Amino acid sequence: MSVEESLKPLFSAITELKPSFIDRLSQAVSIPSVSSDESLRPKVFEMAEFLKSQLITLGAEDIQMRDLGIQPPPVVDPKLQLPPIVLARFGQDPAKKTILVYGHYDVQPASIEDGWATEPFTLVQKDDKLIGRGSTDDKGPVIGWLNSIEAHRKVGLELPVNLVCCFEGMEESGSLGLEELVAQESDKYFKGVDAVCISDNYWLGTKKPVLTYGLRGCNYYQITVSGANADLHSGVFGGIIHEPMTDLFKVMSQLVDVKGNILIPGVNEMVAPVTAAEDKLYDPIEFSAEELSQAAGADTGYFDDKKDILQHRWRFPSLSLHGIEGAFSGAGAKTVIPAKVVGKFSIRTVPDMDSDKLDQFVFDFVKAKFAELGTKNKLNVELIHGGAYWVSDPFNDNFTAAANATKLVWGVDPDLTREGGSIPITLTFEQELKTGVVLLPMGRGDDGAHSINEKLDVPNYIEGVKTLSAYLHYYAAGAK
Amino acid sequence: MSVEESLKPLFSAITELKPSFIDRLSQAVSIPSVSSDESLRPKVFEMAEFLKSQLITLGAEDIQMRDLGIQPPPVVDPKLQLPPIVLARFGQDPAKKTILVYGHYDVQPASIEDGWATEPFTLVQKDDKLIGRGSTDDKGPVIGWLNSIEAHRKVGLELPVNLVCCFEGMEESGSLGLEELVAQESDKYFKGVDAVCISDNYWLGTKKPVLTYGLRGCNYYQITVSGANADLHSGVFGGIIHEPMTDLFKVMSQLVDVKGNILIPGVNEMVAPVTAAEDKLYDPIEFSAEELSQAAGADTGYFDDKKDILQHRWRFPSLSLHGIEGAFSGAGAKTVIPAKVVGKFSIRTVPDMDSDKLDQFVFDFVKAKFAELGTKNKLNVELIHGGAYWVSDPFNDNFTAAANATKLVWGVDPDLTREGGSIPITLTFEQELKTGVVLLPMGRGDDGAHSINEKLDVPNYIEGVKTLSAYLHYYAAGAK
């Protein structure tokens, strides 16, 4: 029996189970598991318990609520417990391949005062949209995996792979403890994992499904310029001392040009050239400059051409100036000469940029430009956070299974996309488990993941469950 | 009888009354009349009542507690009453000259947690220092005038002038309502005022008394650069849109060079040349580059030469970059592309800079530099606060009386100084009352007016009362 034939009764069951699936998501959304709000931490634990009870009902084995201990500072409550990572497995058949699915059960903050049209922690169906915090990020996909298992059980279809679930509760707050756990369990709980599937990003637009094979990295720097030992009054000291702000502006204004080109020597030279084959991947992607303007709410883009936009978003590095710590940042007028200012900027990284070399180029350039000033103030430049880029072969077995599943359900070949931002856990899974990761999104580009009125379209939810299910079957059958 | 002879018994009385004077200041300091702290507003009123009761005891006439109405927003309490301006007069003899003395009875915030060695609202005498919030700024000088009247009464010496007191309670919070009151009363309560004396600044250093004849003005600007309609994620949008921060840094970095020279064409050309006579005024002033380094807590000054330092602080304009509103300003890393950023800077002004012309030069330059960028973001540049410079003839009758008083008490000719900051009320008195103002400070340069452990040295307090008293007598007698 072909994969497609064996999936027919499963897909019918998924369609029939739609009310039950929406009800399950509704229960999940009703628990305000906001990981960044300490007062709501009990709700994050409640959400973990909800998943556990669902997993038990669905016949999961070896369910573990992995305690991550106490949350490190800064916290208000010094004894604040981290929510558990929920581990579970379905099947341990050595004859089957093993897929690890990752998702997170915590959500971003939300309150009606922010401008939501409906109560954010009540899932509301309006036309074909399921509106509520976490609907698309990331409760929809997490519940989607559970729905797939329910559908398999209903039609008496055996899961074609051993399934390992890894659901965390701190993704929106830095994934505290996750990396360590993945490393620890690589040859224990996660032993034998053949491939990883993460459903925690979005289609590029609203119409065409995508698979995502690359993420930019991010090196975040700060430049500290210090002068006096306390903030000074500009009336008394203006005109007679070297002002740290003046020096900082001189240096930071030389890092990038107004068209976004990085001006630090050596940086652009590290970028791998775009091959002809790679360039061709951008041809079928549905995207336009208008979509960018709509997303930004302004017509301030550098490029009109689709390929230029997408490649500069995914494939080339960028440098952004984020702000200054220590300067006046309020409304109105304050006549201060800040004594110590810390300028923040980051560089988005891509293949084949070497992170250490990049740091060195940045440090050398900043120091050289500062030295040229001839100021008496002091400089420090440092990397305060680094996350590597990730790129996968979009034609390996894992991606091919996901592509076949998408094609079967949606009737089109998915666009192969990257993202400009980073999902650090992707690289962690790949490195620690020595296997490939596919990013297989469920929601659309306009879902408003971290915004008000977050939603998941009903077709994305239900067809998404079919896609996730089909992916498992195609992977089990081997690439076609 | 010469002025000096008539002052002898008065000076003896002042010396004898020292314990009573310290007690009076102690009572004043014990009332935490912090104008910027709404919860302490009743204490500001209490301080006004304290002054009133003292004025009654000392025989003042026509005491008025001038109600200024409700404090305009931003305030927490929408019905917050402004503290009154306390007006009082001693004598209305048409044969005498009339001096208006101004001071303020509100103080800066202070709490032991800020690092005070003693309770800030308890006046503590340690060696020869009177330590407490307001001791030097400005309760010492305000109480100093009352002390002078007490001493006159004690020795039965008539005040040589009609004295008009104007004590406000909002100086540390923008002098709300004062300018309007001075304008209103110019030919009513303040009719016939011949000269104004303000004791609300400090000696340049710690050893030599000064008279102050000039203040720089301040034009405060903001540059707004706006792009997207909401903050964006640098992962998703970095490299494809014009970033307001990049544009703002490009423009703001071109306003001033690293040596403090203003780069806006036309600005420096408006500055009146320093005449040889004027330059000579700097010769006797006691000051050194070491004192500057000590005050700043760092050796980051532009100049080593005394005259260079003082003239660039008092006599030449300066431009300081204060900060950015709307950008990331916290600790740590935030990968935001701010959608709208507001850069703040100000220019300290001096004779003969025309404020309107200065604005035009700034606007033209900022717009031209922004246009050169070729960005798609939007610019706005505006003046958000302006205060004019002030300069007086340091050899007029008013200054001569103050100089003679200082010489008599301290045995040296006072240094003639300016200040880099502004005291807007100085110009208001001069313009509205059409008369001259002398700034006759009581405290020393290291008093720590807005800092922790604010103090007034006992000699400055007691000899200061003598100086203020002698000033009235010299002014009455006419310049010598």
Side-chain angles (χ1 to χ4, degrees), chain B residues 187-213:
Chain B
D187 54 7
K188 293 178 194 152
Y189 204 99
F190 298 154
K191 192 178 164 92
V193 166
D194 293 294
V196 175
C197 181
I198 300 179
S199 185
D200 188 22
N201 67 316
Y202 310 94
W203 294 359
L204 183 58
T206 58
K207 298 193 188 84
K208 203 170 167 195
V210 310
L211 302 181
T212 303
Y213 68 98

PDB file of all heavy atoms in Angstrom, chain B residues 187-213:
ATOM      1  N   ASP B 187       5.221  96.508  38.056  1.00  0.00           N
ATOM      2  CA  ASP B 187       4.909  97.872  38.515  1.00  0.00           C
ATOM      3  C   ASP B 187       3.888  97.865  39.639  1.00  0.00           C
ATOM      4  O   ASP B 187       3.175  98.841  39.861  1.00  0.00           O
ATOM      5  CB  ASP B 187       4.476  98.780  37.354  1.00  0.00           C
ATOM      6  CG  ASP B 187       3.326  98.190  36.577  1.00  0.00           C
ATOM      7  OD1 ASP B 187       2.783  97.154  37.016  1.00  0.00           O
ATOM      8  OD2 ASP B 187       2.976  98.765  35.535  1.00  0.00           O
ATOM      9  N   LYS B 188       3.822  96.743  40.345  1.00  0.00           N
ATOM     10  CA  LYS B 188       2.977  96.701  41.551  1.00  0.00           C
ATOM     11  C   LYS B 188       3.886  96.407  42.753  1.00  0.00           C
ATOM     12  O   LYS B 188       4.567  97.283  43.251  1.00  0.00           O
ATOM     13  CB  LYS B 188       1.895  95.624  41.378  1.00  0.00           C
ATOM     14  CG  LYS B 188       0.898  96.000  40.271  1.00  0.00           C
ATOM     15  CD  LYS B 188      -0.146  94.897  40.077  1.00  0.00           C
ATOM     16  CE  LYS B 188      -0.890  95.128  38.771  1.00  0.00           C
ATOM     17  NZ  LYS B 188      -1.385  93.866  38.210  1.00  0.00           N
ATOM     18  N   TYR B 189       3.949  95.122  43.160  1.00  0.00           N
ATOM     19  CA  TYR B 189       4.739  94.813  44.356  1.00  0.00           C
ATOM     20  C   TYR B 189       6.201  95.166  44.158  1.00  0.00           C
ATOM     21  O   TYR B 189       6.905  95.574  45.089  1.00  0.00           O
ATOM     22  CB  TYR B 189       4.594  93.325  44.708  1.00  0.00           C
ATOM     23  CG  TYR B 189       4.864  93.022  46.166  1.00  0.00           C
ATOM     24  CD1 TYR B 189       3.814  92.877  47.073  1.00  0.00           C
ATOM     25  CD2 TYR B 189       6.171  92.895  46.644  1.00  0.00           C
ATOM     26  CE1 TYR B 189       4.057  92.612  48.407  1.00  0.00           C
ATOM     27  CE2 TYR B 189       6.421  92.633  47.990  1.00  0.00           C
ATOM     28  CZ  TYR B 189       5.358  92.490  48.871  1.00  0.00           C
ATOM     29  OH  TYR B 189       5.602  92.241  50.191  1.00  0.00           O
ATOM     30  N   PHE B 190       6.684  95.006  42.930  1.00  0.00           N
ATOM     31  CA  PHE B 190       8.117  95.208  42.666  1.00  0.00           C
ATOM     32  C   PHE B 190       8.408  96.611  42.124  1.00  0.00           C
ATOM     33  O   PHE B 190       9.512  96.886  41.670  1.00  0.00           O
ATOM     34  CB  PHE B 190       8.634  94.165  41.667  1.00  0.00           C
ATOM     35  CG  PHE B 190       8.523  92.732  42.140  1.00  0.00           C
ATOM     36  CD1 PHE B 190       8.432  91.692  41.223  1.00  0.00           C
ATOM     37  CD2 PHE B 190       8.505  92.421  43.492  1.00  0.00           C
ATOM     38  CE1 PHE B 190       8.334  90.376  41.651  1.00  0.00           C
ATOM     39  CE2 PHE B 190       8.399  91.107  43.923  1.00  0.00           C
ATOM     40  CZ  PHE B 190       8.314  90.075  42.996  1.00  0.00           C
ATOM     41  N   LYS B 191       7.411  97.491  42.187  1.00  0.00           N
ATOM     42  CA  LYS B 191       7.589  98.859  41.657  1.00  0.00           C
ATOM     43  C   LYS B 191       8.698  99.571  42.439  1.00  0.00           C
ATOM     44  O   LYS B 191       8.769  99.494  43.657  1.00  0.00           O
ATOM     45  CB  LYS B 191       6.281  99.627  41.819  1.00  0.00           C
ATOM     46  CG  LYS B 191       6.225 100.944  41.056  1.00  0.00           C
ATOM     47  CD  LYS B 191       4.856 101.592  41.267  1.00  0.00           C
ATOM     48  CE  LYS B 191       4.895 103.048  40.868  1.00  0.00           C
ATOM     49  NZ  LYS B 191       4.520 103.252  39.471  1.00  0.00           N
ATOM     50  N   GLY B 192       9.540 100.257  41.717  1.00  0.00           N
ATOM     51  CA  GLY B 192      10.582 101.051  42.376  1.00  0.00           C
ATOM     52  C   GLY B 192      11.830 100.266  42.752  1.00  0.00           C
ATOM     53  O   GLY B 192      12.737 100.820  43.377  1.00  0.00           O
ATOM     54  N   VAL B 193      11.913  98.998  42.377  1.00  0.00           N
ATOM     55  CA  VAL B 193      13.121  98.225  42.686  1.00  0.00           C
ATOM     56  C   VAL B 193      14.295  98.784  41.884  1.00  0.00           C
ATOM     57  O   VAL B 193      14.211  98.950  40.668  1.00  0.00           O
ATOM     58  CB  VAL B 193      12.911  96.728  42.347  1.00  0.00           C
ATOM     59  CG1 VAL B 193      14.248  95.980  42.323  1.00  0.00           C
ATOM     60  CG2 VAL B 193      11.956  96.084  43.357  1.00  0.00           C
ATOM     61  N   ASP B 194      15.366  99.108  42.575  1.00  0.00           N
ATOM     62  CA  ASP B 194      16.538  99.693  41.903  1.00  0.00           C
ATOM     63  C   ASP B 194      17.554  98.651  41.482  1.00  0.00           C
ATOM     64  O   ASP B 194      18.287  98.857  40.522  1.00  0.00           O
ATOM     65  CB  ASP B 194      17.222 100.697  42.854  1.00  0.00           C
ATOM     66  CG  ASP B 194      16.345 101.895  43.117  1.00  0.00           C
ATOM     67  OD1 ASP B 194      16.086 102.661  42.166  1.00  0.00           O
ATOM     68  OD2 ASP B 194      15.871 102.044  44.277  1.00  0.00           O
ATOM     69  N   ALA B 195      17.616  97.573  42.231  1.00  0.00           N
ATOM     70  CA  ALA B 195      18.596  96.540  41.886  1.00  0.00           C
ATOM     71  C   ALA B 195      18.147  95.214  42.487  1.00  0.00           C
ATOM     72  O   ALA B 195      17.371  95.178  43.442  1.00  0.00           O
ATOM     73  CB  ALA B 195      19.980  96.904  42.407  1.00  0.00           C
ATOM     74  N   VAL B 196      18.644  94.136  41.876  1.00  0.00           N
ATOM     75  CA  VAL B 196      18.279  92.789  42.320  1.00  0.00           C
ATOM     76  C   VAL B 196      19.546  92.048  42.717  1.00  0.00           C
ATOM     77  O   VAL B 196      20.599  92.191  42.061  1.00  0.00           O
ATOM     78  CB  VAL B 196      17.548  92.017  41.196  1.00  0.00           C
ATOM     79  CG1 VAL B 196      17.273  90.579  41.607  1.00  0.00           C
ATOM     80  CG2 VAL B 196      16.260  92.729  40.789  1.00  0.00           C
ATOM     81  N   CYS B 197      19.446  91.306  43.804  1.00  0.00           N
ATOM     82  CA  CYS B 197      20.579  90.469  44.230  1.00  0.00           C
ATOM     83  C   CYS B 197      20.089  89.028  44.379  1.00  0.00           C
ATOM     84  O   CYS B 197      19.111  88.759  45.078  1.00  0.00           O
ATOM     85  CB  CYS B 197      21.138  90.975  45.560  1.00  0.00           C
ATOM     86  SG  CYS B 197      22.547  90.002  46.133  1.00  0.00           S
ATOM     87  N   ILE B 198      20.763  88.115  43.697  1.00  0.00           N
ATOM     88  CA  ILE B 198      20.438  86.691  43.791  1.00  0.00           C
ATOM     89  C   ILE B 198      21.640  85.968  44.386  1.00  0.00           C
ATOM     90  O   ILE B 198      22.755  86.072  43.862  1.00  0.00           O
ATOM     91  CB  ILE B 198      20.112  86.097  42.404  1.00  0.00           C
ATOM     92  CG1 ILE B 198      18.905  86.812  41.783  1.00  0.00           C
ATOM     93  CG2 ILE B 198      19.872  84.596  42.489  1.00  0.00           C
ATOM     94  CD1 ILE B 198      18.518  86.304  40.393  1.00  0.00           C
ATOM     95  N   SER B 199      21.403  85.284  45.491  1.00  0.00           N
ATOM     96  CA  SER B 199      22.482  84.478  46.073  1.00  0.00           C
ATOM     97  C   SER B 199      22.080  83.013  45.915  1.00  0.00           C
ATOM     98  O   SER B 199      21.457  82.427  46.788  1.00  0.00           O
ATOM     99  CB  SER B 199      22.682  84.842  47.548  1.00  0.00           C
ATOM    100  OG  SER B 199      23.799  84.132  48.056  1.00  0.00           O
ATOM    101  N   ASP B 200      22.380  82.446  44.746  1.00  0.00           N
ATOM    102  CA  ASP B 200      21.976  81.062  44.459  1.00  0.00           C
ATOM    103  C   ASP B 200      22.994  80.386  43.539  1.00  0.00           C
ATOM    104  O   ASP B 200      22.648  79.538  42.740  1.00  0.00           O
ATOM    105  CB  ASP B 200      20.572  81.049  43.828  1.00  0.00           C
ATOM    106  CG  ASP B 200      20.001  79.641  43.687  1.00  0.00           C
ATOM    107  OD1 ASP B 200      20.447  78.748  44.420  1.00  0.00           O
ATOM    108  OD2 ASP B 200      19.126  79.448  42.829  1.00  0.00           O
ATOM    109  N   ASN B 201      24.236  80.834  43.633  1.00  0.00           N
ATOM    110  CA  ASN B 201      25.269  80.061  42.925  1.00  0.00           C
ATOM    111  C   ASN B 201      26.481  79.953  43.853  1.00  0.00           C
ATOM    112  O   ASN B 201      26.324  80.104  45.070  1.00  0.00           O
ATOM    113  CB  ASN B 201      25.588  80.649  41.546  1.00  0.00           C
ATOM    114  CG  ASN B 201      26.248  82.004  41.573  1.00  0.00           C
ATOM    115  OD1 ASN B 201      25.846  82.885  42.339  1.00  0.00           O
ATOM    116  ND2 ASN B 201      27.265  82.193  40.747  1.00  0.00           N
ATOM    117  N   TYR B 202      27.657  79.660  43.325  1.00  0.00           N
ATOM    118  CA  TYR B 202      28.778  79.273  44.190  1.00  0.00           C
ATOM    119  C   TYR B 202      30.074  79.922  43.747  1.00  0.00           C
ATOM    120  O   TYR B 202      30.216  80.346  42.607  1.00  0.00           O
ATOM    121  CB  TYR B 202      28.929  77.732  44.188  1.00  0.00           C
ATOM    122  CG  TYR B 202      27.595  77.127  44.456  1.00  0.00           C
ATOM    123  CD1 TYR B 202      26.766  76.749  43.405  1.00  0.00           C
ATOM    124  CD2 TYR B 202      27.108  77.064  45.758  1.00  0.00           C
ATOM    125  CE1 TYR B 202      25.479  76.294  43.651  1.00  0.00           C
ATOM    126  CE2 TYR B 202      25.823  76.606  46.005  1.00  0.00           C
ATOM    127  CZ  TYR B 202      25.021  76.232  44.952  1.00  0.00           C
ATOM    128  OH  TYR B 202      23.748  75.823  45.200  1.00  0.00           O
ATOM    129  N   TRP B 203      30.991  79.959  44.699  1.00  0.00           N
ATOM    130  CA  TRP B 203      32.350  80.339  44.332  1.00  0.00           C
ATOM    131  C   TRP B 203      32.837  79.342  43.277  1.00  0.00           C
ATOM    132  O   TRP B 203      32.399  78.198  43.228  1.00  0.00           O
ATOM    133  CB  TRP B 203      33.296  80.250  45.528  1.00  0.00           C
ATOM    134  CG  TRP B 203      33.016  81.220  46.634  1.00  0.00           C
ATOM    135  CD1 TRP B 203      32.039  82.181  46.685  1.00  0.00           C
ATOM    136  CD2 TRP B 203      33.743  81.311  47.863  1.00  0.00           C
ATOM    137  NE1 TRP B 203      32.106  82.858  47.873  1.00  0.00           N
ATOM    138  CE2 TRP B 203      33.155  82.347  48.622  1.00  0.00           C
ATOM    139  CE3 TRP B 203      34.833  80.626  48.402  1.00  0.00           C
ATOM    140  CZ2 TRP B 203      33.619  82.709  49.886  1.00  0.00           C
ATOM    141  CZ3 TRP B 203      35.305  80.988  49.657  1.00  0.00           C
ATOM    142  CH2 TRP B 203      34.705  82.017  50.389  1.00  0.00           C
ATOM    143  N   LEU B 204      33.800  79.794  42.474  1.00  0.00           N
ATOM    144  CA  LEU B 204      34.364  78.891  41.476  1.00  0.00           C
ATOM    145  C   LEU B 204      35.130  77.760  42.156  1.00  0.00           C
ATOM    146  O   LEU B 204      35.017  76.594  41.800  1.00  0.00           O
ATOM    147  CB  LEU B 204      35.279  79.696  40.544  1.00  0.00           C
ATOM    148  CG  LEU B 204      35.918  78.948  39.392  1.00  0.00           C
ATOM    149  CD1 LEU B 204      34.874  78.299  38.499  1.00  0.00           C
ATOM    150  CD2 LEU B 204      36.780  79.912  38.574  1.00  0.00           C
ATOM    151  N   GLY B 205      35.919  78.126  43.139  1.00  0.00           N
ATOM    152  CA  GLY B 205      36.692  77.127  43.873  1.00  0.00           C
ATOM    153  C   GLY B 205      36.289  77.118  45.337  1.00  0.00           C
ATOM    154  O   GLY B 205      35.109  77.302  45.670  1.00  0.00           O
ATOM    155  N   THR B 206      37.275  76.928  46.211  1.00  0.00           N
ATOM    156  CA  THR B 206      36.956  76.797  47.633  1.00  0.00           C
ATOM    157  C   THR B 206      37.578  77.907  48.477  1.00  0.00           C
ATOM    158  O   THR B 206      37.342  77.981  49.676  1.00  0.00           O
ATOM    159  CB  THR B 206      37.472  75.454  48.180  1.00  0.00           C
ATOM    160  OG1 THR B 206      38.887  75.389  47.963  1.00  0.00           O
ATOM    161  CG2 THR B 206      36.803  74.280  47.473  1.00  0.00           C
ATOM    162  N   LYS B 207      38.376  78.759  47.842  1.00  0.00           N
ATOM    163  CA  LYS B 207      39.114  79.733  48.656  1.00  0.00           C
ATOM    164  C   LYS B 207      38.770  81.185  48.404  1.00  0.00           C
ATOM    165  O   LYS B 207      38.889  82.006  49.291  1.00  0.00           O
ATOM    166  CB  LYS B 207      40.616  79.532  48.434  1.00  0.00           C
ATOM    167  CG  LYS B 207      41.086  78.144  48.874  1.00  0.00           C
ATOM    168  CD  LYS B 207      42.600  78.061  48.962  1.00  0.00           C
ATOM    169  CE  LYS B 207      43.047  76.629  49.208  1.00  0.00           C
ATOM    170  NZ  LYS B 207      43.136  75.861  47.934  1.00  0.00           N
ATOM    171  N   LYS B 208      38.376  81.502  47.178  1.00  0.00           N
ATOM    172  CA  LYS B 208      38.253  82.907  46.825  1.00  0.00           C
ATOM    173  C   LYS B 208      36.810  83.254  46.461  1.00  0.00           C
ATOM    174  O   LYS B 208      36.206  82.581  45.622  1.00  0.00           O
ATOM    175  CB  LYS B 208      39.179  83.194  45.636  1.00  0.00           C
ATOM    176  CG  LYS B 208      39.581  84.650  45.507  1.00  0.00           C
ATOM    177  CD  LYS B 208      40.687  84.796  44.472  1.00  0.00           C
ATOM    178  CE  LYS B 208      40.893  86.238  44.074  1.00  0.00           C
ATOM    179  NZ  LYS B 208      41.693  86.346  42.861  1.00  0.00           N
ATOM    180  N   PRO B 209      36.265  84.304  47.089  1.00  0.00           N
ATOM    181  CA  PRO B 209      34.892  84.686  46.755  1.00  0.00           C
ATOM    182  C   PRO B 209      34.782  85.222  45.330  1.00  0.00           C
ATOM    183  O   PRO B 209      35.775  85.695  44.768  1.00  0.00           O
ATOM    184  CB  PRO B 209      34.565  85.772  47.775  1.00  0.00           C
ATOM    185  CG  PRO B 209      35.865  86.258  48.292  1.00  0.00           C
ATOM    186  CD  PRO B 209      36.863  85.161  48.127  1.00  0.00           C
ATOM    187  N   VAL B 210      33.591  85.139  44.783  1.00  0.00           N
ATOM    188  CA  VAL B 210      33.371  85.604  43.405  1.00  0.00           C
ATOM    189  C   VAL B 210      32.074  86.394  43.314  1.00  0.00           C
ATOM    190  O   VAL B 210      31.196  86.295  44.172  1.00  0.00           O
ATOM    191  CB  VAL B 210      33.270  84.421  42.403  1.00  0.00           C
ATOM    192  CG1 VAL B 210      34.417  83.442  42.564  1.00  0.00           C
ATOM    193  CG2 VAL B 210      31.935  83.684  42.532  1.00  0.00           C
ATOM    194  N   LEU B 211      31.992  87.182  42.265  1.00  0.00           N
ATOM    195  CA  LEU B 211      30.725  87.757  41.800  1.00  0.00           C
ATOM    196  C   LEU B 211      30.521  87.223  40.383  1.00  0.00           C
ATOM    197  O   LEU B 211      31.499  87.111  39.630  1.00  0.00           O
ATOM    198  CB  LEU B 211      30.786  89.287  41.758  1.00  0.00           C
ATOM    199  CG  LEU B 211      31.112  90.001  43.069  1.00  0.00           C
ATOM    200  CD1 LEU B 211      31.098  91.516  42.839  1.00  0.00           C
ATOM    201  CD2 LEU B 211      30.111  89.617  44.151  1.00  0.00           C
ATOM    202  N   THR B 212      29.291  86.955  40.035  1.00  0.00           N
ATOM    203  CA  THR B 212      29.042  86.323  38.741  1.00  0.00           C
ATOM    204  C   THR B 212      28.255  87.277  37.857  1.00  0.00           C
ATOM    205  O   THR B 212      27.203  87.779  38.265  1.00  0.00           O
ATOM    206  CB  THR B 212      28.283  85.008  38.952  1.00  0.00           C
ATOM    207  OG1 THR B 212      29.058  84.190  39.838  1.00  0.00           O
ATOM    208  CG2 THR B 212      28.071  84.277  37.635  1.00  0.00           C
ATOM    209  N   TYR B 213      28.809  87.512  36.657  1.00  0.00           N
ATOM    210  CA  TYR B 213      28.204  88.527  35.781  1.00  0.00           C
ATOM    211  C   TYR B 213      27.715  87.973  34.449  1.00  0.00           C
ATOM    212  O   TYR B 213      27.271  88.734  33.589  1.00  0.00           O
ATOM    213  CB  TYR B 213      29.205  89.668  35.528  1.00  0.00           C
ATOM    214  CG  TYR B 213      30.408  89.278  34.687  1.00  0.00           C
ATOM    215  CD1 TYR B 213      30.449  89.545  33.321  1.00  0.00           C
ATOM    216  CD2 TYR B 213      31.504  88.633  35.255  1.00  0.00           C
ATOM    217  CE1 TYR B 213      31.540  89.174  32.541  1.00  0.00           C
ATOM    218  CE2 TYR B 213      32.602  88.265  34.490  1.00  0.00           C
ATOM    219  CZ  TYR B 213      32.607  88.531  33.130  1.00  0.00           C
ATOM    220  OH  TYR B 213      33.687  88.157  32.375  1.00  0.00           O
TER     221      TYR B 213
END
